[in-house]
Amino acid sequence: DQQVKQNSPSLSVQEGRISILNCDYTNSMFDYFLWYKKYPAEGPTFLISISSIKDKNEDGRFTVFLNKSAKHLSLHIVPSQPGDSAVYFCAARGIGSGNTGKLIFGQGTTLQVKP
Amino acid sequence: NAGVTQTPKFRILKIGQSMTLQCTQDMNHNYMYWYRQDPGMGLKLIYYSVGAGITDKGEVPNGYNVSRSTTEDFPLRLELAAPSQTSVYFCASSFRGKNTGELFFGEGSRLTVL
């Protein structure tokens, strides 16, 4: 049972345009949502997070939106750059997992930004 | 700081062999984790530890064992390797006081079982 889902395996956008990566979840008992970025042959690196009590968090070119009623979050990258080409993982932390830090990950979306 | 260091980076095993994936972190993090990544499946939690001497199972623990004798080290043991254990393994750590849930990952260990 996939509690965190990224239904788009891949996304291709033109440099300078907006990239929107989507993530859906089935469990209301998550208190934090995170996005990770992964380059080939490297480990995932933390990108941005959002608390379940907020609906938006922004960090430079990256903004995460949380729609709790739809159990949906999205990552917006504006403007997209070729260096953003990577696999993006959505992750969620269960309420009560704060004392273990366990995260549940989505399947990942491969973003390609074309010059 | 080196962060999270995993060894080996690559390994090929024969069915039935055993091996240990090493993981060490120098950030004095309380929490450590082992995830595996299979194509199209995201990362699945194998085992985790909230401190030295304390370990617990994740989503996919079968065929693996762990130990946590020190804060720094969290080795993952594969007993009787099977083709289904072919995967990329990631070790991660986090600080208990970090309320945003951020994990720090190693570079990964690619294991092939033939």
Side-chain angles (χ1 to χ4, degrees):
Chain A
D1 182 25
Q2 190 78 21
Q3 296 186 60
V4 178
K5 300 178 184 179
Q6 294 175 257
N7 292 318
S8 298
S10 62
L11 175 67
S12 182
V13 300
Q14 209 65 35
E15 180 179 6
R17 306 294 292 270
I18 184 171
S19 295
I20 300 177
L21 296 102
N22 294 303
C23 179
D24 297 298
Y25 59 96
T26 59
N27 187 343
S28 297
M29 303 299 283
F30 290 129
D31 64 351
Y32 265 93
F33 299 90
L34 303 89
W35 285 94
Y36 279 80
K37 178 179 180 179
K38 184 184 177 306
Y39 292 118
E42 294 185 11
T45 54
F46 171 74
L47 194 56
I48 191 170
S49 66
I50 187 167
S51 164
S52 61
I53 64 173
K54 296 188 176 181
D55 54 19
K56 178 182 175 181
N57 189 27
E58 193 171 356
D59 184 2
R61 295 186 297 114
F62 302 92
T63 303
V64 57
F65 295 93
L66 177 62
N67 182 335
K68 289 183 284 295
S69 60
K71 294 190 177 64
H72 177 84
L73 68 155
S74 59
L75 174 69
H76 292 212
I77 306 173
V78 182
S80 301
Q81 300 173 353
D84 295 330
S85 298
V87 178
Y88 289 79
F89 290 100
C90 170
R93 189 180 77 178
I95 293 173
S97 292
N99 59 349
T100 66
K102 294 188 294 180
L103 297 181
I104 298 173
F105 285 84
Q107 305 96 311
T109 297
T110 300
L111 173 65
Q112 182 185 27
V113 180
K114 297 180 179 179
Chain B
N1 286 353
V4 179
T5 303
Q6 294 182 231
T7 56
K9 286 189 167 40
F10 303 94
R11 182 75 186 267
I12 298 175
L13 282 181
K14 294 183 179 178
I15 294 172
Q17 287 185 319
S18 300
M19 75 160 296
T20 299
L21 298 176
Q22 302 291 344
C23 175
T24 186
Q25 52 91 10
D26 61 359
M27 297 174 283
N28 202 31
H29 283 171
N30 314 93
Y31 301 157
M32 295 188 75
Y33 315 86
W34 275 105
Y35 284 88
R36 60 177 285 174
Q37 183 195 6
D38 300 312
M41 298 297 290
L43 290 92
K44 298 291 186 184
L45 182 64
I46 305 170
Y47 269 96
Y48 67 98
S49 168
V50 298
I54 306 170
T55 63
D56 208 346
K57 297 177 181 179
E59 301 171 79
V60 289
N62 291 344
Y64 307 94
N65 276 302
V66 293
S67 59
R68 184 100 182 266
S69 57
T70 67
T71 299
E72 295 78 19
D73 300 306
F74 191 41
L76 177 72
R77 177 85 177 158
L78 281 73
E79 304 282 2
L80 299 174
S84 61
Q85 293 178 304
T86 294
S87 188
V88 181
Y89 292 84
F90 291 99
C91 180
S93 70
S94 70
F95 180 59
R96 183 169 53 202
K98 187 78 172 179
N99 203 37
T100 55
E102 176 185 350
L103 305 189
F104 295 82
F105 283 86
E107 293 187 337
S109 298
R110 182 176 292 273
L111 175 67
T112 302
V113 181
L114 300 174

